[in-house]
């Protein structure tokens, strides 16, 4: 539907010993992509895997990859850990700091027109009807990232229940901050 797009960069991390090229190939073999395979399999040539990780500083991007993506105009962010049993540090690094890192990356793009952040409505507890608006976070996201970056993991684990307050798990808490 977006035939004018020249390239679609996909941030992937190597997983279970598989290089990003193999991971992309396996993703494209999913039934979800059958209509595109039948319609125009050449469109897959626009997909360019980029090695990185949203939970790393600067998304774990190399200088070469940053240069390759300097003309990106649309950023679509849907990366997250959706595990409800992640430690607070793991959830915050992926879901909260990862979003910050992606937004900071987007500010370096001279042609950016849109940044689309995909998230969940289930992190606004106590809100009867969720509207399309920004709700205040349950805690200070900057301080939470700093705590998770600097404090000993055992201490963070010990304080998690008290820190996340009324949130049911670290996923909901970290997505609320994001």
């Amino acid at each position: 539907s977006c035939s004018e797009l020249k390239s679609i960069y996909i941030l992937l991390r190597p997983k279970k010993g598989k290089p990003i090229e193999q991971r992309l190939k396996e993703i494209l073999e999913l039934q979800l992509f059958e209509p595109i395979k039948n319609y125009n399999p050449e469109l897959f040539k626009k997909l360019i895997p980029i090695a990185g990780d949203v939970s790393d500083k600067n998304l774990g991007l190399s200088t070469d990859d940053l240069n390759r993506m300097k003309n990106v105009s649309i950023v679509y962010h849907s990366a997250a850990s959706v595990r409800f049993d992640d430690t607070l540090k793991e959830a915050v690094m992926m879901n909260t700091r990862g979003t910050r890192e992606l937004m900071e990356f987007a500010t370096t793009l001279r042609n950016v027109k849109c940044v689309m952040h995909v998230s969940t409505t289930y992190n606004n507890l106590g809100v009867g009807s969720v509207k399309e608006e920004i709700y205040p976070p349950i805690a200070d996201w900057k301080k939470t990232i700093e705590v998770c970056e600097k404090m000993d993991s055992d201490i963070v684990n010990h304080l998690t229940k008290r820190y996340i307050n009324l949130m049911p798990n670290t996923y909901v808490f970290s997505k609320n901050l994001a």
Side-chain angles (χ1 to χ4, degrees):
S1 67
C2 300
S3 58
E4 68 280 1
L5 293 178
K6 292 185 237 167
S7 302
I8 301 172
Y9 299 99
I10 301 174
L11 184 69
L12 292 169
R13 59 185 169 165
K15 192 174 182 180
K16 297 179 183 170
K18 294 179 186 175
I20 59 171
E21 294 79 12
Q22 183 179 351
R23 286 200 61 217
L24 178 59
K25 184 177 182 247
E26 289 173 1
I27 290 168
L28 296 177
E29 290 171 358
L30 294 172
Q31 186 177 0
L32 170 70
F33 296 102
E34 285 299 319
I36 297 172
K37 281 184 206 171
N38 295 332
Y39 169 71
N40 185 358
E42 293 295 307
L43 292 175
F44 291 130
K45 291 181 180 175
K46 293 183 180 191
L47 302 175
I48 301 167
I50 299 290
D53 187 334
V54 296
S55 64
D56 290 342
K57 290 276 187 141
N58 300 314
L59 305 173
L61 295 169
S62 71
T63 303
D64 288 343
D65 285 335
L66 286 168
N67 287 330
R68 288 170 66 187
M69 295 187 292
K70 66 183 175 190
N71 292 316
V72 164
S73 59
I74 299 170
V75 177
Y76 191 89
H77 173 40
S78 62
S81 171
V82 295
R83 294 179 48 153
F84 297 148
D85 61 348
D86 275 343
T87 66
L88 179 60
K89 189 174 270 196
E90 291 167 331
V92 167
M93 291 296 110
M94 175 67 81
N95 297 336
T96 310
R97 188 176 82 174
T99 299
R100 181 199 66 195
E101 294 299 309
L102 182 109
M103 296 305 287
E104 286 182 359
F105 163 71
T107 65
T108 69
L109 302 171
R110 57 182 166 224
N111 296 321
V112 71
K113 292 180 178 33
C114 174
V115 177
M116 177 64 68
H117 175 140
V118 178
S119 193
T120 178
T121 62
Y122 301 109
N123 62 35
N124 292 298
L125 301 179
V127 177
S129 177
V130 178
K131 297 180 174 88
E132 288 191 35
E133 61 185 59
I134 298 173
Y135 291 88
I138 194 165
D140 183 314
W141 64 269
K142 291 178 184 177
K143 287 181 182 173
T144 302
I145 291 171
E146 187 178 348
V147 163
C148 290
E149 287 175 334
K150 294 181 178 178
M151 282 189 104
D152 179 75
S153 293
D154 289 337
I155 294 171
V156 174
N157 290 342
H158 184 73
L159 298 174
T160 293
K161 283 189 182 188
R162 186 168 183 112
Y163 196 81
I164 69 173
N165 200 3
L166 300 175
M167 292 292 186
N169 53 56
T170 58
Y171 167 76
V172 173
F173 179 80
S174 64
K175 291 299 279 183
N176 175 278
L177 298 185

